[in-house]
Amino acid sequence: MQRPPDNPSGLTEAVSRPMVVVLRFVFFLLIFYLLLSIAAGLLMPGQEVGRYALVTVIGQNCEDLQERLRPFNVNGVDYRVIPAEMGEIEFELQGGTVCWLEISGVPESGVGAAAAPLYDAAMNKTTGPLSMERAYQPRFGQVETIAIWLLSFLLAAIVLALRLRKQRQEADSDT
């Protein structure tokens, strides 16, 4: 049996082959990113964070409040005090600053025993809460996300290289 003569590949075929490889790579990259993100979410679950809007006393900013609360954190609770954006809370200020007190691990039922001394100190050192929110924050941050992307990139490249190698071997064995 004779092989048909080799036709010179056209422009469409010359463009489509690399595009198919690129699309396969993107497909594997996204699949691995999705799977690794799900695994990271299951292995490193986030936690609830209680957010409390507070108004500091006159002449005090959020960093000062965080330092003043440090001695009251007797149980080592993760917390931070950050300034609120101007549009977040509508409140008439009289010399104070609006800050968010974020306490990690606050359950739905309210402030637990571990965070109670910190919460009470914050209420005594400010004009009290304006609003309270609960927010879920994922535990893994920017560094972990970059690591997931890089690992996905590596796995996608390996899988694609193995598939292309297998296709070449099959093509060589057919001839």
Side-chain angles (χ1 to χ4, degrees):
M1 185 184 275
Q2 263 186 338
R3 278 184 46 188
D6 289 334
N7 291 335
S9 52
L11 179 63
T12 304
E13 192 172 324
V15 171
S16 66
R17 284 186 184 174
M19 286 304 294
V20 168
V21 172
V22 168
L23 289 175
R24 282 183 182 168
F25 178 76
V26 170
F27 172 75
F28 286 125
L29 177 70
L30 294 177
I31 290 296
F32 283 123
Y33 180 77
L34 178 67
L35 293 175
L36 291 172
S37 294
I38 290 171
L42 293 174
L43 296 175
M44 299 181 299
Q47 58 181 324
E48 288 181 314
V49 174
R51 292 184 79 198
Y52 306 96
L54 307 170
V55 178
T56 64
V57 295
I58 296 173
Q60 187 181 54
N61 60 21
C62 298
E63 292 83 20
D64 297 336
L65 178 61
Q66 183 163 350
E67 288 302 316
R68 289 181 65 200
L69 292 176
R70 191 175 311 267
F72 297 97
N73 189 12
V74 293
N75 295 322
V77 176
D78 290 335
Y79 77 99
R80 67 180 185 164
V81 181
I82 57 171
E85 299 292 326
M86 291 303 277
E88 282 185 299
I89 300 173
E90 299 298 326
F91 186 73
E92 190 73 29
L93 293 179
Q94 296 161 359
T97 305
V98 179
C99 302
W100 285 110
L101 169 65
E102 295 181 349
I103 304 174
S104 296
V106 175
E108 203 53 44
S109 60
V111 177
L118 179 69
Y119 177 78
D120 291 338
M123 293 306 121
N124 291 334
K125 296 189 179 308
T126 62
T127 59
L130 300 174
S131 69
M132 298 178 198
E133 295 180 1
R134 294 230 176 349
Y136 180 80
Q137 291 185 342
R139 185 169 301 236
F140 57 93
Q142 188 174 5
V143 173
E144 289 83 356
T145 304
I146 291 171
I148 290 172
W149 274 114
L150 290 175
L151 186 59
S152 300
F153 187 84
L154 178 66
L155 289 173
I158 290 171
V159 167
L160 189 62
L162 291 175
R163 287 180 57 97
L164 290 174
R165 184 178 180 194
K166 182 179 175 184
Q167 287 176 353
R168 282 191 198 120
Q169 287 175 351
E170 287 176 358
D172 289 343
S173 67
D174 288 343
T175 58

